[in-house]
Amino acid sequence: MIRTLNAIAFVVAAALAVALYIAKAEAKSSQERLEDIQAQLAEERRQINVLNVEIAHLEDPERLRHLARRYLGFEPLDPEREVGLNDLPLLADADPNTQGSALREDGLLVREERVEGLAMAEPRRTGGPD
């Protein structure tokens, strides 16, 4: 009986030793995977920071202003070029005696309509294709 009990205890101890070895190997493998994932995460964060710096550079107003001048010919507006609302030309005369259409200098035909006492002009192109 004691021999049987010793044999069972030995088998249980061997099974526990094997289970402990397997658990240790899995823990080491999990630890290595965790370190790899942390390294990948650090690299992704570094790349995000690099992209944020690049975006900040690309959106720099001075850089965009320089590119607009160089490639598009845009210049900042001069305050002397501002025009008041009263200085703008009318599309059509608001004279109630005029009927029909009028041809403006830019080639737009202006048709005048009266809507509840307001003069409205509707421009449309005249002539052939440009």
Side-chain angles (χ1 to χ4, degrees):
M1 169 102 178
I2 292 183
R3 285 185 185 192
T4 309
L5 193 57
N6 283 340
I8 292 174
F10 178 74
V11 169
V12 169
L16 287 175
V18 169
L20 181 64
Y21 176 76
I22 291 172
K24 183 179 175 183
E26 286 180 5
K28 186 175 181 180
S29 171
S30 295
Q31 183 68 28
E32 289 173 355
R33 279 190 306 148
L34 179 63
E35 290 172 0
D36 288 342
I37 290 172
Q38 286 176 340
Q40 289 175 358
L41 182 61
E43 177 63 22
E44 292 291 330
R45 286 184 178 155
R46 187 192 67 76
Q47 289 179 356
I48 288 171
N49 288 337
V50 167
L51 290 175
N52 283 335
V53 168
E54 186 174 344
I55 287 172
H57 168 69
L58 292 174
E59 291 179 345
D60 181 30
E62 286 299 319
R63 179 184 170 277
L64 292 175
R65 195 171 294 121
H66 171 72
L67 291 175
R69 282 183 182 144
R70 182 175 179 187
Y71 294 109
L72 301 176
F74 289 171
E75 290 295 326
L77 290 179
D78 186 16
E80 295 174 2
R81 295 180 58 190
E82 289 185 15
V83 178
L85 186 59
N86 293 335
D87 297 333
L88 294 176
L90 296 175
L91 290 178
D93 294 330
D95 185 15
N97 296 330
T98 58
Q99 293 284 335
S101 304
L103 186 61
R104 291 190 334 188
E105 292 178 11
D106 60 359
L108 289 177
L109 185 64
V110 178
R111 183 173 41 113
E112 184 179 295
E113 296 179 17
R114 304 213 37 91
V115 177
E116 297 180 20
L118 299 175
M120 296 177 56
E122 179 183 320
R124 59 186 172 107
R125 290 265 173 222
T126 61
D130 293 338

